[in-house]
Amino acid sequence: MTSMDRGGSSDAPAPRPHAGAVLASGVVDSLTAAPDEDAVLRDLVAFTRLLRNAGVPVTPDRTATYLRALREIDVASEVATYWAGRLTLCSDPDDVARYDQAFHAWFSSDPRDQRMGRPAPPKPRTATIAALNPPSRSGEGEQDDDVPELKVAASGEEVLRDRDIAELTIGEREHLRRMLALLTPNPPRRRARRRRPGPRGEPDARRTLRATLRHAGEIPGLARRQRRERPRRVVILLDVSGSMAPYADALLRFAHVLTRRTPQAVETFTLGTRLTRVTRELRQRDPERALRDAGSAIPDWSGGTRLGEVLAAFLDRWGQRGVARRAVVVVFSDGWERGGTDLLGEQMARLARLAHTVVWVNPHAGKRGYEPVQGGIAAALPHVDRLLAGHSLATLQELTEVLADA
């Protein structure tokens, strides 16, 4: 059907498919997106991807139905927009709570922003109204300068990358969770004992001899072999005491991202008044379920800290038996120690002898004027290879680079 058949002018630009068509087949037939509409549709498809990461089984068909439903309602009404998504994207009563939380984080601004003097972020639905309700083709409103302009969300993400996790609002924390889920860290590598054929390396006598026999005694060339590479084990020791409570959730999600990348090469333990292994819980695909199960398994969340005693328990039960040997050990802690620091120094020395690299991540190290003078961090620093700050998304991305180069 031509644009004349649809009632438009013959010189109207031909519609082009939006970028979300890869995830939602069939949406192109129902939505003809202009260049500005293209970004809005990607934003809406990203909202469905957020629901999927939160555990709601959103399929491409439901995404297409959701986008078609938005074209049939008054998207200026938050209630109508809410029910359009709830009726098309939720298939189980358990999905409603997750949908409510995701909808509030994506489409609403947190009122605490106004109370704290910060400007509220623009609501995506304001720009969605202009894109989903295309202007009249009769020429009216072409010179209207009051049409809201769609802003790209990259600038807000850049600001959020450097924000202290402890100072984020509820809506910003939801955005941070989405950004953490998009991280693709490269695990550290190590050379394995087994070798494989390769263009370089030591001569392979057996393959060379077999090739000579196949060529009637003539040597066609010298075969070589080189050592394979395998992921190096990463051990995460996460302090979940009260002083680390503002960062514990984000750091545990970061541990889940690393675990999902190489499930068999990452071990995660929590440190507090006791040692808890949460590797099995974090190997689940759904981040919300993994974090919920890990939280249920940790009995000392936001409690005290006995780093020396708990680290000794880790080395006696797990580290000395092979978990920490030639591994990259990452300790997330601010260094506050309720007990004596001499024991912590001794156990860090044991850990340094076993591990390939020891990285200490202190969220307070990224703050202005910080000095590592606390008893725990001062006792551990002589046995640490790198001291990093883990208070923001940018510093966590820096940690992934350090791990890849370990």
Side-chain angles (χ1 to χ4, degrees):
M1 181 180 296
T2 64
S3 58
M4 288 294 294
D5 296 330
R6 294 176 180 173
S9 60
S10 59
D11 56 351
R16 62 189 184 93
H18 60 84
V22 177
L23 294 178
S25 59
V27 181
V28 178
D29 297 334
S30 60
L31 294 173
T32 57
D36 285 343
E37 300 173 39
D38 199 46
V40 175
L41 295 174
R42 284 197 302 268
D43 187 73
L44 293 173
V45 174
F47 170 64
T48 63
R49 192 180 301 115
L50 166 66
L51 287 176
R52 191 182 303 114
N53 293 335
V56 180
V58 179
T59 62
D61 293 339
R62 291 178 183 171
T63 302
T65 305
Y66 169 60
L67 296 178
R68 286 196 296 266
L70 291 176
R71 294 295 299 269
E72 302 296 331
I73 66 171
D74 178 15
V75 290
S77 171
E78 185 172 357
V79 176
T81 305
Y82 167 84
W83 282 104
R86 176 166 170 176
L87 295 177
T88 57
L89 300 176
C90 297
S91 59
D92 190 87
D94 295 336
D95 299 337
V96 176
R98 298 175 181 175
Y99 174 82
D100 291 344
Q101 186 178 12
F103 184 87
H104 174 76
W106 193 269
F107 289 100
S108 300
S109 59
D110 191 63
R112 291 185 298 175
D113 291 337
Q114 288 81 358
R115 293 201 302 268
M116 298 177 66
R118 295 194 296 265
K123 299 183 180 181
R125 70 170 187 273
T126 304
T128 305
I129 298 173
L132 292 183
N133 296 329
S136 173
R137 298 183 182 269
S138 61
E140 298 179 359
E142 292 181 358
Q143 304 298 328
D144 189 3
D145 296 333
D146 297 332
V147 177
E149 181 181 355
L150 181 64
K151 301 296 183 181
V152 181
S155 59
E157 294 182 358
E158 288 297 326
V159 173
L160 188 60
R161 288 181 71 255
D162 298 320
R163 290 280 305 278
D164 193 323
I165 297 175
E167 300 176 357
L168 299 182
T169 63
I170 297 177
E172 291 171 339
R173 286 181 178 273
E174 291 295 334
H175 196 181
L176 176 67
R177 294 173 183 176
R178 296 196 300 269
M179 297 174 67
L180 283 174
L182 297 177
L183 291 179
T184 56
N186 295 321
R189 312 290 295 182
R190 67 177 180 87
R191 291 196 302 171
R193 294 184 178 180
R194 293 183 179 273
R195 291 171 171 81
R196 62 180 180 182
R200 296 179 299 273
E202 63 183 24
D204 191 341
R206 292 186 178 182
R207 291 179 57 240
T208 303
L209 179 59
R210 287 196 296 267
T212 302
L213 294 177
R214 288 195 299 268
H215 289 79
E218 295 185 4
I219 302 178
L222 185 62
R224 297 184 178 275
R225 62 179 183 174
Q226 59 188 15
R227 298 181 69 172
R228 298 180 178 180
E229 286 190 351
R230 300 183 59 184
R232 184 180 294 275
R233 182 181 294 110
V234 177
V235 179
I236 298 176
L237 304 177
L238 176 57
D239 186 351
V240 294
S241 62
S243 59
M244 287 288 294
Y247 304 94
D249 179 79
L251 296 179
L252 202 58
R253 290 178 182 276
F254 178 77
H256 176 263
V257 172
L258 291 179
T259 305
R260 288 297 307 152
R261 187 69 173 175
T262 52
Q264 303 303 322
V266 178
E267 288 282 347
T268 306
F269 300 83
T270 61
L271 310 178
T273 57
R274 57 183 298 178
L275 178 72
T276 306
R277 181 173 181 260
V278 293
T279 303
R280 181 178 301 177
E281 288 78 7
L282 294 183
R283 284 177 179 172
Q284 301 181 73
R285 186 177 185 84
D286 182 7
E288 299 302 326
R289 182 176 299 176
L291 269 292
R292 183 177 61 251
D293 293 348
S296 301
I298 301 174
D300 53 348
W301 187 279
S302 297
T305 312
R306 295 189 178 95
L307 290 178
E309 298 178 10
V310 177
L311 191 57
F314 164 74
L315 292 172
D316 294 339
R317 183 175 179 182
W318 300 95
Q320 200 76 31
R321 297 183 180 182
V323 171
R325 291 185 182 274
R326 297 182 296 276
V328 178
V329 181
V330 183
V331 183
F332 291 100
S333 177
D334 54 3
W336 290 104
E337 170 66 295
R338 292 179 57 182
T341 59
D342 294 337
L343 178 60
L344 177 60
E346 296 175 1
Q347 300 309 315
M348 286 299 300
R350 288 180 59 191
L351 180 62
R353 290 192 295 267
L354 288 173
H356 177 270
T357 305
V358 178
V359 181
W360 191 291
V361 181
N362 186 346
H364 301 301
K367 299 180 179 180
R368 183 177 303 177
Y370 171 78
E371 294 292 340
V373 296
Q374 296 91 348
I377 192 67
L381 273 182
H383 314 288
V384 172
D385 298 296
R386 293 289 299 272
L387 175 63
L388 300 176
H391 67 292
S392 65
L393 180 62
T395 56
L396 293 180
Q397 289 178 332
E398 179 185 358
L399 175 59
T400 61
E401 298 174 0
V402 172
L403 294 179
D405 296 337

